[in-house]
Each structure stands twice: as C-alpha cells, then as structure tokens.
Amino acid sequence: MATRIVTLPGDGIGPEILAPAVDLLKRFVPDVTIEEHVFGGASIDAHGTALTDDTLAACRAADGVLLAAVGGPKWDTTDASKPRPEQGLLGLRKGMGLYANLRPVRPLPALYDASPLRREIIDGTDLLVVRELTGGIYFGEKTRTETTASDLCAYSAEEIERIARSAFEAARTKVTSVDKANVLETSRLWRQVVVDLHQREFSHIPLEHVLVDNAAMQLVSNPTSFDVIVTENLFGDILSDEAAMLTGSIGMLPSASLGAGGPGLFEPVHGSAPDIAGQGIANPLAMFLSTALLLRHGLNLESEATSLESAVDKALDQGLRTRDLGGTASTAEATEAVLAALG
Ligand code: NAD
Ligand code: IPM
Ligand code: MN
C-alpha cells in the first residue's frame, strides 16, 4: 500500500520550507501520497478553528505527519475567547497521543563558527532533549478574570514514567533528568518516578538530576557533559531553543513527536518566523532534518534518513549558509545545494 503522509504547511515561512521538503520526501519514497491540510492561522481563516476534526482524523489515519510551523501577528491576541494558531498544535499533539518529543542537538563542525559560542565549548556535543509533550502546565486548567490568571501544572506518575522510559531507551551514556524539585511538587513526583523506574529497569544507565536553572547554564558552558536530557513540557520547550544555538541557528533543529504506536509528527523546533516570511530566505534545513526523522522513526527507512542527513552535512561542508547562519543563500539555493549533495 502507498505511504500516506499528511502535510501541514501552517503559517509564515511554513509553506516556503515545507514545499521543498515534500520534493525531497518524494525522492526517497516515490510512491508517497501527500494529503495537505490547512492548519494553524490558515485554518482559523478558512474554518474558524486552528485544527478541524477532519484534519485531526486525517493525521491519525496517516503513516506520518509533516508539519512546518504555525502562528503570526495576524492571530496574536490576549483575548482568551479568540482562537489561536498554537491551539491547533497543542490539540494535534494531544489528539495524536504524542507524549515524547525528541529534539536531537548535533552541531556540525562546519557550523561551529556560526554559533555565538566558542568552538572549544561546542566541539563534541551530541545530545538529545526528550521533552514531555502532552502534559504539565501546557494542558492544566486555566483561569482568567479581569485581574487574575492561573495555569495549573499537573503530572501523573504514569505520564512521567512513560517519558522517562523513552529517555532511558534512547540513552547511550547517561540520562540527565531536569526538574525544579527544590520548589515544585510536580518536580518532586517527577524525580521520584524517574528514580523508581531507573532502579527497577535501567540501573545500568547512569542517571543524574539537575535543576532546570543550572541545566540552562550548563547547556552553554559545558554542553558535552550531556547525553539525553529528559524534562517536562515547558522546561523542554525553553531548553531546546537554547540548545539550538549550539548548532548555529534555530533554523537547524528538527524534532520527532512520538506516542505509543500510531503515526508520528515531524516538525522543526522553530516557529513561523513572521519577520522573514514571504522573502524566500528561510533556512529549510530543520525542515529537511525533520523529514529525515520522518523517514527514520515514522517509516522505518533508516538508510534513507541517513542519506538525507549526510546530504545536509555535505552541503554545509561545501559552504552552504543561509542568512541565519551568516550567509546569503536563499531557501531555493539551500534546497539545490542539498539536492546536489544527494547526487
Ligand atoms: P520563531 O522560531 O518563529 O523565530 C525566532 C527567530 O528565529 C526569528 O528571528 C526568525 O526569523 C528566526 N528563525 C526561525 N526559524 C528560522 C528559519 N527556518 N530560518 C531562518 N530564521 C529563522 O519564534 P517566534 O518569533 O517567537 O514565534 C513566531 C510565531 O511562531 C509565534 O506565533 C509562535 O507561537 C510560533 N511558533 C510556532 C512553532 C511551531 O509551529 N512549532 C514553534 C515556535 C513558535
Ligand atoms: C514548540 C513551540 C510550541 C510549544 C508553541 C508554538 C505552542 O514553541 O514546538 O517548541 O511551545 O510547544
Ligand atoms: Mn518552542
């Protein structure tokens, strides 16, 4: 049966980076069927909601979902009753049961000088942020009056254990569990559940606990000390943007969101970059690397995934630099460079 992929271009630079990624995907999976749906702000404009029931059903029925980015000033509002593009993203992650968000941070030597950090600090970094994606403060009860507001941060032991398991399974040398157990009750439960699972099933893997503020500092002072970082939803969101700068640009970082069986969702870590949308200058590499993660985790095509990643590495080695990396290459030129590297 043909491979069915749902694509969600979203907003801003989304359509500009998704189109070439689909071209690449077709080279690796010639029989792929692409079903595109409006999503985020574009879906609010078309249907009044960021994620329609139809789109969610199509995503659940696909072999994988490729998403670019959502959001933009057009839909920014502080009015809680108005729809927001980001609600579509959260609804999709929750609706597909995608609790494990993998964000690999693998800076390439060719890009060491594109990072604001010194080469000797970055050199040898190869880490993975395992971000819990369907719980915590993102999904707790929200309240709002004229003068007060609250967002509940809640976690169950079951939610913590399954993400901790994903982290231990992905670990090569160590798991660093990041929390705020000196203040937050959710973090104290987090730590206890991680320790219990470690003792029961993964005691052969070194485990350490680092408080989130300290982790933020160590990510830029001693990034090579990390292997797998596992953390709750909000901490993982913030730490992964920070970690992206080790690779030179937020435009380099891909992600895979996986659940228990079922299709995965593959998307860059960055957003819709409204400040550069429509100019054809967005860096498409995080989108391409997310496509590689779709090949690997979504379609079980390991050698195809590696070929695509190697082509991105080669293009960068040969001098490809978009503006965010200090160069002048357009999105189209970056795409051509990767295609040429694929041979
Ligand atoms: P952003 O990631 O969109 O942009 C931050 C900065 O990085 C901008 O200067 C932008 O130009 C640059 N940048 C991002 N991606 C780039 C790329 N591929 N190539 C070159 N430069 C790139 O973050 P933001 O500005 O805080 O958010 C903009 C909108 O995106 C908001 O509505 C936000 O909610 C949304 N957002 C969506 C996602 C998603 O869809 N997964 C992720 C993050 C933010
Ligand atoms: C991300 C984004 C989203 C998040 C937003 C757009 C809801 O920042 O994917 O990192 O916070 O998860
Ligand atoms: Mn984010």
Side-chain angles (χ1 to χ4, degrees), residues 88-111:
L89 192 54
L90 302 183
L92 188 62
R93 290 168 176 171
K94 191 80 166 177
M96 293 178 71
L98 305 171
Y99 62 84
N101 183 221
L102 312 182
R103 299 183 158 186
V105 182
R106 190 179 50 95
L108 293 176
L111 290 183

Side-chain angles (χ1 to χ4, degrees), residues 87-163:
Q87 289 163 344
L89 192 54
L90 302 183
L92 188 62
R93 290 168 176 171
K94 191 80 166 177
M96 293 178 71
L98 305 171
Y99 62 84
N101 183 221
L102 312 182
R103 299 183 158 186
V105 182
R106 190 179 50 95
L108 293 176
L111 290 183
Y112 284 177
D113 292 330
S115 172
L117 293 163
R118 282 199 310 278
R119 162 180 288 268
E120 58 268 29
I121 288 184
I122 308 167
D123 193 19
T125 301
D126 183 3
L127 63 87
L128 175 70
V129 178
V130 177
R131 171 188 177 194
E132 200 292 324
L133 202 60
T134 52
I137 198 166
Y138 275 62
F139 291 93
E141 190 197 349
K142 296 178 187 301
T143 69
R144 173 85 175 265
T145 69
E146 276 289 300
T147 51
T148 65
S150 68
D151 298 275
L152 178 73
C153 182
Y155 268 112
S156 69
E158 191 191 353
E159 287 174 311
I160 299 166
E161 187 173 301
R162 66 185 181 182
I163 192 70

